[in-house]
Amino acid sequence: MRQRRTDFRLDFHFAGAQISGCFGEFMARLLIKTEGLENKILELRLGVNRVGRDPECEFCIEHPTISSIHCELILSSDGVYIRDCDSTNGTFVNGEPVMEAWLDAGQEVRLGDVELSVESTGVSVAIPKFDSERPKPPVVLPDGAMLCPRHPQAQAAYKCTHCGEIMCNGCVHVMRVRGGQPLFLCPLCSRKCEPVHSAPPEKKKGILGFLDTVKLKFGYSRAKAKK
Protein backbone atom coordinates (compact mmCIF):
# COMPACT_ATOMS: atom_id res chain seq x y z
CA MET A 1 0.00 0.00 0.00
CA ARG A 2 1.31 3.42 -0.92
CA GLN A 3 2.38 5.47 2.09
CA ARG A 4 1.10 9.01 2.24
CA ARG A 5 2.06 11.72 4.67
CA THR A 6 -0.29 12.83 7.43
CA ASP A 7 1.44 16.10 8.37
CA PHE A 8 -0.31 18.49 6.04
CA ARG A 9 1.49 21.66 4.96
CA LEU A 10 -0.49 24.05 2.87
CA ASP A 11 0.75 25.88 -0.19
CA PHE A 12 -0.66 29.32 0.55
CA HIS A 13 0.02 30.63 -2.97
CA PHE A 14 -2.02 27.74 -4.34
CA ALA A 15 -4.76 28.21 -1.74
CA GLY A 16 -4.98 31.94 -2.46
CA ALA A 17 -5.30 31.32 -6.18
CA GLN A 18 -7.99 28.75 -5.52
CA ILE A 19 -10.02 31.18 -3.43
CA SER A 20 -9.57 34.08 -5.82
CA GLY A 21 -10.90 32.05 -8.73
CA CYS A 22 -7.93 32.84 -10.96
CA PHE A 23 -7.41 29.18 -11.78
CA GLY A 24 -9.71 26.66 -13.39
CA GLU A 25 -10.06 24.10 -10.61
CA PHE A 26 -11.56 20.64 -10.10
CA MET A 27 -11.68 19.81 -6.39
CA ALA A 28 -12.39 16.58 -4.51
CA ARG A 29 -16.10 15.93 -3.88
CA LEU A 30 -18.35 13.78 -1.71
CA LEU A 31 -22.08 13.26 -2.38
CA ILE A 32 -24.61 12.80 0.46
CA LYS A 33 -27.02 9.93 -0.29
CA THR A 34 -29.16 9.85 2.86
CA GLU A 35 -32.88 10.55 2.31
CA GLY A 36 -33.79 14.14 3.06
CA LEU A 37 -30.19 15.23 2.50
CA GLU A 38 -29.62 13.58 -0.86
CA ASN A 39 -27.80 15.27 -3.72
CA LYS A 40 -25.99 17.60 -1.35
CA ILE A 41 -22.41 17.90 -2.57
CA LEU A 42 -19.41 18.50 -0.32
CA GLU A 43 -16.80 20.26 -2.49
CA LEU A 44 -13.62 20.25 -0.45
CA ARG A 45 -11.29 23.19 -0.22
CA LEU A 46 -7.53 22.85 0.12
CA GLY A 47 -6.67 22.10 3.76
CA VAL A 48 -8.97 21.13 6.63
CA ASN A 49 -12.74 20.88 6.04
CA ARG A 50 -14.76 20.29 9.22
CA VAL A 51 -18.07 18.41 9.06
CA GLY A 52 -20.71 18.60 11.82
CA ARG A 53 -23.88 20.24 13.12
CA ASP A 54 -22.00 23.32 14.32
CA PRO A 55 -22.73 26.25 11.97
CA GLU A 56 -19.06 27.20 12.18
CA CYS A 57 -18.10 24.00 10.34
CA GLU A 58 -17.20 24.26 6.67
CA PHE A 59 -19.95 21.70 5.99
CA CYS A 60 -22.91 21.93 8.36
CA ILE A 61 -25.14 18.82 8.27
CA GLU A 62 -28.33 19.03 10.37
CA HIS A 63 -28.91 15.44 11.41
CA PRO A 64 -29.46 14.00 14.92
CA THR A 65 -26.71 11.35 14.50
CA ILE A 66 -24.08 13.93 13.48
CA SER A 67 -21.93 15.41 16.28
CA SER A 68 -21.26 19.15 16.58
CA ILE A 69 -17.83 18.61 15.04
CA HIS A 70 -18.06 15.07 13.69
CA CYS A 71 -14.96 14.72 11.52
CA GLU A 72 -12.40 16.52 9.37
CA LEU A 73 -11.86 15.99 5.66
CA ILE A 74 -8.34 17.12 4.80
CA LEU A 75 -7.50 17.85 1.17
CA SER A 76 -3.83 17.91 0.20
CA SER A 77 -1.76 17.18 -2.87
CA ASP A 78 -1.74 13.51 -1.76
CA GLY A 79 -5.54 13.16 -1.71
CA VAL A 80 -8.32 13.21 0.90
CA TYR A 81 -7.76 12.14 4.50
CA ILE A 82 -10.67 11.66 6.94
CA ARG A 83 -10.19 12.06 10.69
CA ASP A 84 -12.90 11.37 13.28
CA CYS A 85 -13.22 14.06 15.98
CA ASP A 86 -14.37 11.77 18.82
CA SER A 87 -17.89 11.74 17.41
CA THR A 88 -20.71 10.09 19.34
CA ASN A 89 -21.95 7.82 16.54
CA GLY A 90 -18.67 7.18 14.75
CA THR A 91 -17.12 7.50 11.29
CA PHE A 92 -17.16 4.54 8.89
CA VAL A 93 -15.46 3.79 5.55
CA ASN A 94 -16.97 0.93 3.54
CA GLY A 95 -18.74 -0.20 6.70
CA GLU A 96 -15.60 -0.31 8.87
CA PRO A 97 -15.22 2.10 11.82
CA VAL A 98 -12.19 4.36 11.46
CA MET A 99 -10.48 7.10 13.40
CA GLU A 100 -8.25 8.10 10.47
CA ALA A 101 -8.09 6.87 6.88
CA TRP A 102 -7.22 7.88 3.33
CA LEU A 103 -10.20 7.98 0.98
CA ASP A 104 -10.39 6.75 -2.59
CA ALA A 105 -12.95 7.48 -5.28
CA GLY A 106 -15.90 5.05 -5.15
CA GLN A 107 -15.71 4.38 -1.41
CA GLU A 108 -18.73 4.75 0.87
CA VAL A 109 -18.45 6.93 3.98
CA ARG A 110 -20.95 6.98 6.83
CA LEU A 111 -21.08 9.66 9.52
CA GLY A 112 -23.51 8.41 12.14
CA ASP A 113 -26.46 7.46 9.94
CA VAL A 114 -25.59 9.87 7.12
CA GLU A 115 -24.22 8.08 4.06
CA LEU A 116 -21.88 9.69 1.55
CA SER A 117 -20.18 8.54 -1.63
CA VAL A 118 -16.65 9.63 -2.51
CA GLU A 119 -16.86 10.96 -6.08
CA SER A 120 -13.27 12.19 -6.47
CA THR A 121 -10.21 12.78 -4.31
CA GLY A 122 -7.85 14.62 -6.65
CA VAL A 123 -7.02 18.25 -7.19
CA SER A 124 -6.53 19.55 -10.72
CA VAL A 125 -5.63 23.17 -11.34
CA ALA A 126 -5.40 24.73 -14.79
CA ILE A 127 -3.05 27.71 -14.70
CA PRO A 128 -3.66 30.26 -17.46
CA LYS A 129 -0.64 31.39 -19.46
CA PHE A 130 0.32 35.03 -19.24
CA ASP A 131 2.70 36.42 -21.84
CA SER A 132 4.96 39.01 -20.23
CA GLU A 133 7.19 41.30 -22.23
CA ARG A 134 10.86 40.53 -21.72
CA PRO A 135 13.07 43.45 -20.68
CA LYS A 136 15.79 44.83 -22.94
CA PRO A 137 19.29 43.27 -22.87
CA PRO A 138 21.57 44.54 -20.09
CA VAL A 139 23.99 47.41 -20.70
CA VAL A 140 27.62 46.30 -20.46
CA LEU A 141 29.99 48.90 -19.00
CA PRO A 142 33.62 49.34 -20.22
CA ASP A 143 34.93 47.48 -17.15
CA GLY A 144 32.76 44.45 -18.00
CA ALA A 145 30.09 45.07 -15.34
CA MET A 146 26.44 44.86 -16.40
CA LEU A 147 23.48 47.04 -15.48
CA CYS A 148 20.06 45.63 -14.65
CA PRO A 149 17.66 45.87 -17.67
CA ARG A 150 14.77 46.84 -15.37
CA HIS A 151 16.74 49.21 -13.14
CA PRO A 152 19.46 50.89 -15.26
CA GLN A 153 20.87 52.62 -12.18
CA ALA A 154 21.58 49.28 -10.46
CA GLN A 155 24.39 46.86 -11.26
CA ALA A 156 23.37 43.34 -12.27
CA ALA A 157 23.94 40.82 -9.48
CA TYR A 158 22.28 37.57 -10.65
CA LYS A 159 21.76 35.51 -13.80
CA CYS A 160 19.10 32.82 -14.29
CA THR A 161 20.55 29.38 -14.98
CA HIS A 162 17.54 28.48 -17.15
CA CYS A 163 16.48 31.46 -19.27
CA GLY A 164 19.66 33.56 -18.89
CA GLU A 165 17.80 36.60 -17.52
CA ILE A 166 20.05 39.24 -15.90
CA MET A 167 18.78 41.05 -12.81
CA CYS A 168 19.77 43.15 -9.81
CA ASN A 169 19.22 42.52 -6.11
CA GLY A 170 15.86 44.27 -6.30
CA CYS A 171 14.55 41.99 -9.08
CA VAL A 172 15.61 38.54 -7.88
CA HIS A 173 13.07 36.59 -5.80
CA VAL A 174 14.46 35.29 -2.51
CA MET A 175 13.02 32.10 -0.99
CA ARG A 176 13.95 31.54 2.64
CA VAL A 177 14.66 27.90 3.49
CA ARG A 178 14.38 26.73 7.07
CA GLY A 179 17.76 25.50 8.28
CA GLY A 180 19.50 26.22 4.99
CA GLN A 181 20.78 28.86 2.61
CA PRO A 182 18.18 31.04 0.84
CA LEU A 183 17.35 30.32 -2.79
CA PHE A 184 17.50 33.07 -5.41
CA LEU A 185 14.86 32.60 -8.12
CA CYS A 186 14.24 34.20 -11.51
CA PRO A 187 11.18 36.53 -11.65
CA LEU A 188 10.37 35.24 -15.16
CA CYS A 189 10.66 31.46 -14.93
CA SER A 190 11.14 30.87 -11.17
CA ARG A 191 14.32 28.84 -11.79
CA LYS A 192 17.55 29.08 -9.81
CA CYS A 193 19.77 32.14 -10.22
CA GLU A 194 23.52 32.40 -9.69
CA PRO A 195 25.58 35.46 -8.75
CA VAL A 196 27.15 37.42 -11.58
CA HIS A 197 30.88 37.83 -10.99
CA SER A 198 32.22 40.86 -12.82
CA ALA A 199 35.96 41.33 -13.14
CA PRO A 200 37.23 43.90 -10.62
CA PRO A 201 38.70 47.02 -12.25
CA GLU A 202 42.48 47.07 -12.46
CA LYS A 203 43.97 49.29 -9.79
CA LYS A 204 46.12 52.16 -10.99
CA LYS A 205 49.64 52.20 -9.66
CA GLY A 206 50.49 55.00 -7.28
CA ILE A 207 53.79 56.85 -7.18
CA LEU A 208 55.30 54.24 -4.85
CA GLY A 209 54.38 51.44 -7.21
CA PHE A 210 55.92 53.35 -10.12
CA LEU A 211 59.20 53.86 -8.20
CA ASP A 212 59.31 50.14 -7.31
CA THR A 213 58.98 49.27 -11.00
CA VAL A 214 61.81 51.68 -11.94
CA LYS A 215 64.05 50.19 -9.23
CA LEU A 216 63.45 46.66 -10.46
CA LYS A 217 64.24 47.58 -14.07
CA PHE A 218 67.33 49.61 -13.09
CA GLY A 219 68.66 46.80 -10.86
CA TYR A 220 68.10 44.23 -13.61
CA SER A 221 70.03 46.43 -16.15
CA ARG A 222 73.05 46.87 -13.80
CA ALA A 223 73.22 43.12 -13.08
CA LYS A 224 73.17 42.39 -16.81
CA ALA A 225 75.98 44.97 -17.47
CA LYS A 226 78.26 43.38 -14.82
CA LYS A 227 78.03 40.05 -16.65
Side-chain angles (χ1 to χ4, degrees), residues 38-65:
E38 64 267 21
N39 298 326
K40 183 174 181 179
I41 295 175
L42 277 60
E43 275 202 353
L44 305 185
R45 308 296 285 178
L46 191 69
V48 178
N49 301 261
R50 295 172 301 167
V51 181
R53 285 187 291 106
D54 191 324
E56 296 296 320
C57 290
E58 282 72 23
F59 297 105
C60 181
I61 301 178
E62 291 289 346
H63 194 276
T65 64

Side-chain angles (χ1 to χ4, degrees), residues 107-168:
Q107 287 184 321
E108 300 295 323
V109 175
R110 181 161 58 85
L111 309 178
D113 290 338
V114 176
E115 296 182 351
L116 305 92
S117 176
V118 182
E119 288 199 340
S120 61
T121 60
V123 182
S124 176
V125 178
I127 305 176
K129 183 180 180 181
F130 296 98
D131 294 325
S132 57
E133 184 179 353
R134 292 183 64 91
K136 296 178 180 179
V139 176
V140 181
L141 300 177
D143 62 358
M146 292 182 290
L147 297 180
C148 176
R150 297 177 183 81
H151 305 101
Q153 74 282 5
Q155 186 169 328
Y158 293 92
K159 181 178 180 179
C160 177
T161 58
H162 179 71
C163 69
E165 182 65 19
I166 299 295
M167 66 208 77
C168 64

Side-chain angles (χ1 to χ4, degrees), residues 42 48-73 81-93 96-100 109-116:
L42 277 60
V48 178
N49 301 261
R50 295 172 301 167
V51 181
R53 285 187 291 106
D54 191 324
E56 296 296 320
C57 290
E58 282 72 23
F59 297 105
C60 181
I61 301 178
E62 291 289 346
H63 194 276
T65 64
I66 297 286
S67 298
S68 296
I69 302 178
H70 196 101
C71 70
E72 294 175 341
L73 293 166
Y81 193 75
I82 190 168
R83 178 183 294 153
D84 185 83
C85 296
D86 296 323
S87 62
T88 302
N89 296 302
T91 298
F92 302 80
V93 177
E96 297 292 330
V98 298
M99 289 302 296
E100 296 182 346
V109 175
R110 181 161 58 85
L111 309 178
D113 290 338
V114 176
E115 296 182 351
L116 305 92

Side-chain angles (χ1 to χ4, degrees), residues 174-208:
V174 182
M175 178 183 290
R176 304 293 177 186
V177 180
R178 182 180 297 177
Q181 296 295 324
L183 298 178
F184 299 94
L185 306 177
C186 175
L188 293 183
C189 66
S190 298
R191 301 296 182 90
K192 183 181 176 181
C193 294
E194 293 181 344
V196 173
H197 299 290
S198 56
E202 185 179 351
K203 293 183 179 180
K204 294 182 179 180
K205 291 184 178 180
I207 184 63
L208 294 178

